[in-house]
Amino acid sequence: MSSNAFPQLTAEEAAELINDNDFVAMSGFTAAGAAKAVPRALAKRATALHEEGKPFQIRVITGASTGASLDDRLAEADAVSWRAPYQSSKAMRQKINAGKVAFVDMHLSHVPQSVLFGFFGKVNVAVIEASEITADGKVFLTTSIGASPTFLKTADKVIIELNKRPSRRISDMADIVIPEPPPHRPALSLQHPLQRIGKTYAQVDPSKIIAVVETDEADELGGFAPPDEMSEAIAGHVVNFLSKELSDGRIPPEFLPLQSGVGNVANAVTKSMGDSPDIPDFLMYTEVLQSAAFDLLRSGRLRGASTCALTLMPEQMIELADNMNYFANRMILRPQEISNNPAAVRQLGVIALNTALEADIYGHANSTHVSGSAIMNGIGGSGDFARNAYLSVFFCPSIAKGGKISTIVPMCTHVDHNEHSVQVMVTEQGLADLRGLAPEARAERIIEKCAHPDYRSYLHQYVKDSRNSHIKHDLEHCFDLHKNLAKTGSMLS
């Protein structure tokens, strides 16, 4: 797994090499491939130092969200002062919304270049999970690539978590390239989702490696809930829409690559795509490969997938390792600046399928903030894909909290994706194709097709009462639903 050329330390010993206020970059794109042992040891060290009345907090950047050993443990230990670019941890979210952690929400494709050019300062230490490292600095990554190649390149010091649990052959699927910096950056020569343009390993200057920590741990991935009635309804609307686009000639006969966001609804949509006889065998060009997509790879319905991370069930990871000769030719793991590259998304004609928290009647979508203020997770890669997709589809349930909340509102309290990036809106109620519609027609279609029946009359009345203009709004009442929710716990109270 490794050369004896590097210091072999315990996680606790390695944690001692990280100082208060260090800028620390860690591997992980979701919990896949995330650093585990060293972050846990850092959390214990921070707790001990705090009990002695001594300061210890670090600034943390990763590829995306991570696992419990990283975000949860560090947040619980009050060991983080600054965090970017995305998280899905309840403990970290609470710290952020309490103002105790400064959080920078970012498009994930922007992260590597921002780090490379020092936008956030110098990376003091990188903590990267790998399955193998060679004496000359070749680093074979595990279940995600994320921004790890850039972290290895830019960090002053590097700690490797050498994890023997994942199959070493997972790195056979890696296709790693760091684009040249602008203005000398050539266009990506990427003509097909399964085309290889890089190497199977990342590179690090061996002199920067200050510790190798041996581990044997699975990724800390949660499971997926079985599709419920709401998820299946949304998935049915999406599949029917894409089937009609195909039959009408607006999608070519060989179909187009799909991107699917994370979560149970996105997983249900992917499964329904595979179940539909009206959808031909297809490819994916996405940032995360979830369990439903893996099942479709096995069956052949999914011809191949380019991704940045594998978020699979434990039994699927075992199957992957046991059948690597089959899967290695059908899956590619890329760095996030390639998997989420806007030019590649546009060039390949990707169909983007992403989740929103709320949407307004004119087609703006909020993916990140509850009532415009409290962060959930972050924008992630949805903006990278939505703005540049051949078709950009957003979906969400029409209501939440048993009907006390409508996700379709007069005006979004926070906008991540504006009307120009949202072509199709879907709830379990129906699908609104917004292409070619002026604002008033968009409002009519979204209300009729996507809003829950309990809220349609309110939303129609809002439009009727609003001042006549290109986009009809009443600034005195556009957030009345949210104000009611804050006062009474229900939007219609």
Side-chain angles (χ1 to χ4, degrees):
M1 291 175 63
S2 69
S3 165
N4 291 325
F6 309 112
Q8 311 288 309
L9 302 183
T10 66
E12 291 72 22
E13 291 169 336
E16 293 287 339
L17 303 176
I18 296 174
N19 300 315
D20 178 44
N21 203 39
D22 271 356
F23 185 26
V24 182
M26 301 198 200
S27 62
F29 196 98
T30 71
K36 304 171 184 66
V38 173
R40 285 197 305 270
L42 276 171
K44 291 179 181 178
R45 181 174 176 227
T47 299
L49 288 170
H50 294 163
E51 289 174 351
E52 295 174 7
K54 297 177 181 179
F56 188 88
Q57 287 190 317
I58 58 174
R59 301 166 66 232
V60 176
I61 192 164
T62 58
S65 58
T66 66
S69 288
L70 203 162
D71 272 329
D72 285 3
R73 299 294 88 79
L74 290 176
E76 291 162 358
D78 195 25
V80 178
S81 62
W82 182 96
R83 180 75 173 91
Y86 185 86
Q87 54 75 43
S88 59
S89 159
K90 181 179 179 181
M92 185 64 73
R93 184 184 308 128
Q94 290 173 338
K95 293 283 187 179
I96 293 166
N97 288 326
K100 295 180 179 180
V101 173
F103 178 64
V104 179
D105 188 18
M106 294 179 64
H107 295 300
L108 297 185
S109 69
H110 292 185
V111 173
Q113 180 169 284
S114 297
V115 172
L116 186 67
F117 280 89
F119 288 4
F120 314 126
K122 184 67 176 176
V123 178
N124 301 112
V125 183
V127 183
I128 306 297
E129 181 178 273
S131 61
E132 182 179 355
I133 181 168
T134 63
D136 59 353
K138 293 182 177 66
V139 181
F140 295 87
L141 302 171
T142 60
T143 49
S144 72
I145 307 300
S148 293
T150 298
F151 296 161
L152 289 165
K153 181 176 182 177
T154 56
D156 286 338
K157 302 174 183 178
V158 173
I159 297 171
I160 299 293
E161 285 196 11
L162 200 61
N163 191 351
K164 69 179 184 180
R165 181 71 60 89
S167 168
R168 162 62 180 81
R169 287 203 61 197
I170 287 177
S171 62
D172 293 351
M173 299 185 292
D175 187 62
I176 297 172
V177 59
I178 298 178
E180 292 295 320
H184 308 293
R185 176 176 294 168
L188 285 178
S189 180
L190 191 61
Q191 314 299 325
H192 189 278
L194 297 183
Q195 180 181 347
R196 291 184 172 273
I197 58 174
K199 299 177 180 179
T200 59
Y201 57 86
Q203 188 71 49
V204 66
D205 179 351
S207 67
K208 298 199 298 186
I209 299 175
I210 59 174
V212 172
V213 177
E214 294 192 358
T215 68
D216 183 2
E217 298 188 53
D219 288 331
E220 299 165 320
L221 295 166
F224 293 99
D228 58 14
E229 185 177 349
M230 180 274 297
S231 297
E232 290 181 338
I234 290 174
H237 296 314
V238 172
V239 170
N240 290 339
F241 168 74
L242 294 177
S243 298
K244 189 173 189 306
E245 290 294 292
L246 180 66
S247 64
D248 289 348
R250 289 186 288 272
I251 293 177
E254 63 270 33
F255 214 66
L256 290 169
L258 292 184
Q259 174 261 340
S260 180
V262 298
N264 289 320
V265 177
N267 210 42
V269 171
T270 302
K271 180 180 183 301
S272 292
M273 293 285 294
D275 290 343
S276 173
D278 298 323
I279 302 294
D281 296 346
F282 60 94
L283 294 159
M284 295 188 77
Y285 191 86
T286 191
E287 58 184 343
V288 174
L289 190 84
Q290 298 191 142
S291 61
F294 183 82
D295 290 340
L296 297 180
L297 273 170
R298 184 201 303 114
S299 70
R301 286 290 280 131
L302 181 58
R303 291 157 46 205
S306 169
T307 184
C308 186
L310 304 175
T311 58
L312 306 180
M313 305 294 287
E315 60 271 22
Q316 291 176 322
M317 288 301 302
I318 294 171
E319 182 179 355
L320 173 66
D322 290 344
N323 297 276
M324 193 60 71
N325 289 339
Y326 175 84
F327 289 109
N329 294 324
R330 292 166 172 81
M331 299 167 67
I332 292 182
L333 286 168
R334 304 187 191 274
Q336 65 198 71
E337 59 191 322
I338 307 298
S339 67
N340 292 41
N341 187 279
V345 172
R346 181 70 60 87
Q347 184 168 322
L348 295 172
V350 172
I351 298 171
L353 308 171
N354 288 290
T355 304
L357 289 178
E358 69 175 359
D360 68 28
I361 57 177
Y362 295 110
H364 304 89
N366 171 12
S367 296
T368 59
H369 287 77
V370 176
S371 294
S373 59
I375 190 76
M376 278 296 291
N377 300 333
I379 193 169
S382 58
D384 298 324
F385 287 92
R387 176 65 182 86
N388 302 283
Y390 178 82
L391 280 172
S392 175
V393 180
F394 279 87
F395 40 73
C396 59
S398 66
I399 54 173
K401 303 294 184 181
K404 293 180 180 180
I405 296 174
S406 173
T407 62
I408 306 299
V409 295
M411 182 183 284
C412 278
T413 53
H414 176 90
V415 175
D416 293 294
H417 313 281
N418 64 36
E419 63 195 275
H420 311 296
S421 299
V422 181
Q423 295 171 300
V424 180
M425 181 60 63
V426 191
T427 72
E428 82 285 356
Q429 299 295 321
L431 181 146
D433 183 354
L434 307 176
R435 293 172 297 177
L437 299 185
E440 193 165 353
R442 286 204 300 268
E444 176 70 20
R445 185 162 296 182
I446 289 174
I447 293 169
E448 285 301 311
K449 295 290 188 178
C450 297
H452 191 275
D454 290 350
Y455 286 86
R456 285 178 192 160
S457 60
Y458 177 93
L459 295 170
H460 279 305
Q461 191 64 43
Y462 172 83
V463 175
K464 182 179 179 181
D465 293 343
S466 295
R467 183 174 65 88
N468 193 36
S469 191
H470 180 231
I471 297 178
K472 298 179 69 174
H473 267 308
D474 181 347
L475 296 183
E476 291 187 9
H477 298 288
C478 59
F479 295 127
D480 281 356
L481 290 179
H482 297 90
K483 292 176 182 177
N484 289 340
L485 179 64
K487 290 178 181 177
T488 70
S490 177
M491 283 187 165
L492 285 180
S493 294

